[in-house]
Amino acid sequence: MNEIGGRRRVTVHDVARVAGVSLATVDRVLNGRPGVRAATVEKVEAAIAEIGFHRDLSASLLARARDIGVTFIIPDGSNAFMASSAEAIERWTAPALSDRVHIQILRVKALDGAALARALDGLDAKTCDCAVIVAGEDAAVLAAVDAATRRDIAVLTPVSDLPGSQRRHFIGIDNVAAGRTAASLLGRFLPQGGKVALIAGSLHLRDHSDRPAGFHAALAAEFSTIAVVGPLEGHDEASQTESIVAALLAEHPDLAGLYNLGAGNTGLVKALDNSGRAGAIRVIAHELTAATRQGLVGGAIDVVLDQNPDGEIRQAIAAARALALGGNGLSGNAPIEIGIFLRDNLR
Amino acid sequence: MNEIGGRRRVTVHDVARVAGVSLATVDRVLNGRPGVRAATVEKVEAAIAEIGFHRDLSASLLARARDIGVTFIIPDGSNAFMASSAEAIERWTAPALSDRVHIQILRVKALDGAALARALDGLDAKTCDCAVIVAGEDAAVLAAVDAATRRDIAVLTPVSDLPGSQRRHFIGIDNVAAGRTAASLLGRFLPQGGKVALIAGSLHLRDHSDRPAGFHAALAAEFSTIAVVGPLEGHDEASQTESIVAALLAEHPDLAGLYNLGAGNTGLVKALDNSGRAGAIRVIAHELTAATRQGLVGGAIDVVLDQNPDGEIRQAIAAARALALGGNGLSGNAPIEIGIFLRDNLR
DNA sequence: AAAGTCATGAGGCACGTACCTCATTGGCGG
DNA sequence: CCGCCAATGAGGTACGTGCCTCATGACTTT
């Protein structure tokens, strides 16, 4: 009794019966194989719509000879966000295996479009149904993405979108909104107005250029009493960020707020602590990592905006599964929300 | 070739071979059927661990004769949060069907423990593997939950925990942390200190008593210059909340902040707009609904704390699937985070 | 010693789909 | 009219697990 509440499950047999064709023909239509007249295809599709047939993913997955392969290509290096993404991927590897999704991680040199393109080109459609990449806007990468798509490998681009490419799906936060949110919080934190510093990492990645745009726009629209210093570039690097912040603090004794939209937060916290002004300046940073966590708990950082890598990974896996199983992969996954963390709601 | 990268899938046959027992015995162990000596059980479990066997959910689901039934029992009435939960449930009904999860919604009278208990008692294990309920701390409900658990129906309690029961899993935000977060934000919004009003709904539900606890604790610890007015009870009702807020605003011309931890936000926004002081008072409310959305966009509300019903529903479905399939259901689902929304990061 | 109980083995069918091979049909051109 | 080919039918096997029946051997009870 494959039923709940007395209704039998609708199967391919039902489709065949209603359409007045054989099972083999239904199968040909369902799996896009050749050898069916257009008129017959329509009959089958009408029957599918009429009785509300939905392919049973369990049986489908069981019947197809091979499992689903998903390859994550992530930048190598010391970037804390990427490290936590990698952790999240590893955390989900075993559970995904229960759903016959095999996960593989490939590391490439950070910010090297050519290397990423080579990695993409090297993917074999036999062992990889779906690639998940973090890419800058690079011509070589765009070409590689399109080539992979033509080889029947779906490409997902979390974190940073690739507008010009054939990518199937974007998973990630709205970085303009993130910048706006930082501005809006700082504005409310400083009702008297004041001087606020903006620190960027590299402007190469799209997410790092969207954020300042949103930040400036929101400040201009709502908080005209706040003046912005910068942007200064910390190159996502702890020691550089530390010296920049230290210089900044020395130069502006009246600094009231600070927004670091890049990485290198270890340096940020160190500089603030050393200056003795931690807690007196309202600070917003990005990505929940060991460094920003410590900053929150210690009081040097007020708010952390987070991309929720765990959620992104989960969604990427779900989307990959849906894509590989013939769905469109877009159904029913909400966009990732911007995580906002204070000391008080740290998970 | 059921493989990726050349490694064959580990099946029950492999377990049987490695353990040196028959397939039937492995099956008995895996599905908790009687008739196996303890020593043999250990042999099988050792083999499972050794070769890393994981039950194939697809095949398992396919093999068992019936699908998974999940019943959501939600309070009837005009509560906006429940309405958006119901929407989220309906949104996920179709996608869940692809995974052989049948979703059913049962509505009971709000805040009526006896009615909820009756609904739970009426569930048949034949058509329902898992019930998801929102319950107050009621003796009748606790008993019904335990009874359902004994009938092999797993019970999940999102939103509001039931500490004394046999519930299998809690999905929901940390409401003490939510209260702390509201306090922490208001404290930072009002660096000069000031008077802040606290409005509660009913203190019957656990979430509504946890929030003020966190709120007061955080204020006391970090923001001693802020004085609290209240708590006043709005009974989660728009008209009552409106009159309370109107009276409050009239009585305290110097009110600087407001935290409504209950529902009835339509009334809150109306009272603020009518007073002409919307935007001049920092306001924090709960649950992203049409009313709070409007408040955010219009400027009457600064921040909304949200339980993310969509995420909760998704997790409840996933947990129900895992539970019904013999897993423990707890693996790999992060606790729900507190959503923090400003006008700038509205989704 | 006979009868009974318990642990286990052996094997088979079912679930719904994918994919394969081998007929069979009908229409077409030569 | 014959042969060719495209379209379709018929039917099988496989995927990995759940669940069922029946047989067998060992050990206990009377």
Side-chain angles (χ1 to χ4, degrees):
Chain A
M1 251 179 324
N2 49 347
E3 48 182 283
I4 283 283
R7 221 170 25 261
R8 231 188 78 259
R9 169 163 274 270
V10 179
T11 76
V12 280
H13 295 82
D14 300 313
V15 176
R17 196 169 25 75
V18 171
V21 300
S22 77
L23 241 141
T25 300
V26 174
D27 184 74
R28 290 180 184 112
V29 172
L30 275 178
N31 296 292
R33 274 184 280 273
V36 187
R37 265 185 312 197
T40 311
V41 171
E42 275 177 36
K43 268 201 303 186
V44 172
E45 282 171 348
I48 289 176
E50 182 189 338
I51 62 181
F53 168 79
H54 287 284
R55 190 198 300 256
D56 184 325
L57 291 192
S58 301
S60 169
L61 204 43
L62 186 58
R64 70 180 63 219
R66 64 193 201 71
D67 292 358
I68 295 169
V70 178
T71 303
F72 285 82
I73 307 183
I74 64 180
D76 210 350
S78 60
N79 185 316
F81 173 64
M82 289 309 160
S84 69
S85 288
E87 268 175 45
I89 295 171
E90 276 156 24
R91 209 171 20 253
W92 284 101
T93 298
L97 217 50
S98 286
D99 279 331
R100 306 181 74 115
V101 174
H102 293 245
I103 293 176
Q104 194 186 355
I105 302 182
L106 234 56
R107 290 169 192 276
V108 299
K109 191 146 158 278
L111 300 180
D112 181 343
L116 211 169
R118 268 198 307 278
L120 263 175
D121 288 336
L123 290 179
D124 182 359
K126 284 198 181 28
T127 62
C128 170
D129 301 85
C130 176
V132 186
I133 65 171
V134 180
E137 297 193 37
D138 185 299
V141 173
L142 280 178
V145 167
D146 289 348
T149 304
R150 271 193 302 276
R151 293 204 309 279
D152 265 337
I153 297 179
V155 179
L156 307 185
T157 62
V159 183
S160 188
D161 200 3
L162 278 183
S165 71
Q166 297 279 334
R167 85 204 172 317
R168 301 290 292 274
H169 194 41
F170 169 60
I171 302 170
I173 67 171
D174 178 341
N175 282 295
V176 178
R180 275 205 313 268
T181 303
S184 193
L185 281 169
L186 278 177
R188 284 177 173 75
F189 288 166
L190 306 170
Q192 319 282 317
K195 206 185 277 182
V196 167
L198 179 59
I199 301 178
S202 149
L203 298 178
H204 183 75
L205 288 173
R206 183 176 180 91
D207 49 341
H208 284 206
S209 66
D210 280 351
R211 289 173 190 166
F215 188 74
H216 281 118
L219 280 187
E222 288 190 83
F223 305 97
S224 52
T225 59
I226 290 193
V228 178
V229 178
L232 296 90
E233 293 212 31
H235 297 103
D236 292 329
E237 223 267 320
S239 62
Q240 288 187 51
T241 304
E242 179 176 359
S243 52
I244 281 180
V245 173
L248 194 68
L249 290 171
E251 195 181 339
H252 301 276
D254 58 341
L255 195 71
L258 198 156
Y259 175 36
N260 177 25
L261 56 83
N265 286 303
T266 312
L268 172 74
V269 172
K270 212 178 280 181
L272 280 163
D273 282 342
N274 288 342
S275 75
R277 285 157 72 192
I281 300 179
R282 299 276 80 87
V283 177
I284 301 185
H286 268 271
E287 313 317 337
L288 207 53
T289 63
T292 54
R293 234 170 241 280
Q294 187 201 325
L296 282 174
V297 173
I301 299 180
D302 293 277
V303 175
V304 169
L305 305 181
D306 185 63
Q307 310 205 45
N308 189 4
D310 201 79
E312 290 193 358
I313 299 308
R314 209 171 50 217
Q315 286 217 9
I317 294 172
R321 193 171 98 106
L323 280 174
L325 263 46
N328 57 11
L330 308 173
S331 64
N333 42 12
I336 294 281
E337 293 159 27
I338 301 171
I340 302 183
F341 292 94
L342 285 77
R343 179 208 297 193
D344 307 279
N345 68 329
L346 268 186
R347 41 179 171 176
Chain B
M1 254 182 320
N2 51 345
E3 48 182 284
I4 283 285
R7 219 168 29 258
R8 233 188 77 259
R9 167 163 274 269
V10 179
T11 75
V12 281
H13 295 82
D14 301 312
V15 176
R17 195 169 26 75
V18 172
V21 301
S22 77
L23 220 73
T25 300
V26 173
D27 184 73
R28 290 181 184 110
V29 172
L30 275 179
N31 296 291
R33 273 186 281 273
V36 187
R37 266 185 313 198
T40 312
V41 171
E42 275 176 37
K43 268 201 305 187
V44 172
E45 283 171 349
I48 289 176
E50 182 190 337
I51 62 181
F53 168 77
H54 287 284
R55 187 198 302 259
D56 183 325
L57 291 192
S58 300
S60 170
L61 206 44
L62 186 59
R64 69 179 63 220
R66 63 193 201 73
D67 291 359
I68 295 170
V70 179
T71 303
F72 285 82
I73 307 184
I74 64 179
D76 210 350
S78 60
N79 185 316
F81 172 63
M82 288 310 158
S84 70
S85 288
E87 267 176 45
I89 295 171
E90 276 156 24
R91 209 173 17 254
W92 284 101
T93 297
L97 217 50
S98 287
D99 279 331
R100 307 181 73 112
V101 175
H102 293 245
I103 293 176
Q104 195 186 355
I105 302 182
L106 234 56
R107 290 169 192 276
V108 299
K109 193 148 156 274
L111 299 180
D112 181 343
L116 211 168
R118 268 197 308 277
L120 263 175
D121 288 336
L123 291 179
D124 183 359
K126 284 199 182 28
T127 61
C128 170
D129 300 85
C130 176
V132 186
I133 65 171
V134 180
E137 296 192 36
D138 184 299
V141 173
L142 282 179
V145 168
D146 289 349
T149 304
R150 273 193 302 275
R151 293 204 309 279
D152 266 337
I153 297 178
V155 179
L156 307 186
T157 63
V159 183
S160 187
D161 201 1
L162 279 183
S165 71
Q166 298 279 335
R167 82 201 174 321
R168 301 291 292 274
H169 194 42
F170 169 60
I171 303 171
I173 67 172
D174 178 343
N175 282 296
V176 178
R180 275 204 312 268
T181 303
S184 194
L185 282 169
L186 278 177
R188 284 177 172 75
F189 288 166
L190 306 170
Q192 320 282 316
K195 207 185 275 181
V196 167
L198 179 58
I199 300 179
S202 149
L203 297 178
H204 183 76
L205 288 173
R206 183 178 179 91
D207 49 341
H208 284 205
S209 66
D210 280 351
R211 288 173 190 166
F215 187 73
H216 282 118
L219 279 188
E222 288 191 83
F223 304 98
S224 52
T225 59
I226 290 193
V228 178
V229 179
L232 295 90
E233 293 211 30
H235 297 103
D236 292 329
E237 223 268 320
S239 63
Q240 287 187 50
T241 304
E242 178 175 0
S243 51
I244 281 180
V245 173
L248 194 68
L249 291 171
E251 195 181 340
H252 300 277
D254 57 341
L255 195 71
L258 198 155
Y259 175 36
N260 177 25
L261 55 82
N265 286 304
T266 312
L268 172 75
V269 172
K270 213 179 280 180
L272 280 164
D273 282 343
N274 288 341
S275 76
R277 284 156 73 192
I281 299 180
R282 299 277 81 87
V283 178
I284 300 186
H286 268 272
E287 313 317 336
L288 207 53
T289 63
T292 54
R293 232 171 244 280
Q294 187 201 325
L296 282 174
V297 172
I301 299 180
D302 293 277
V303 174
V304 168
L305 305 181
D306 185 63
Q307 310 205 43
N308 189 3
D310 201 80
E312 290 194 0
I313 299 308
R314 210 172 47 218
Q315 286 217 8
I317 294 172
R321 194 169 98 107
L323 279 174
L325 263 46
N328 57 12
L330 308 174
S331 64
N333 42 10
I336 294 280
E337 292 158 29
I338 301 171
I340 302 183
F341 292 94
L342 285 77
R343 178 208 299 192
D344 308 279
N345 68 328
L346 268 185
R347 42 179 169 177

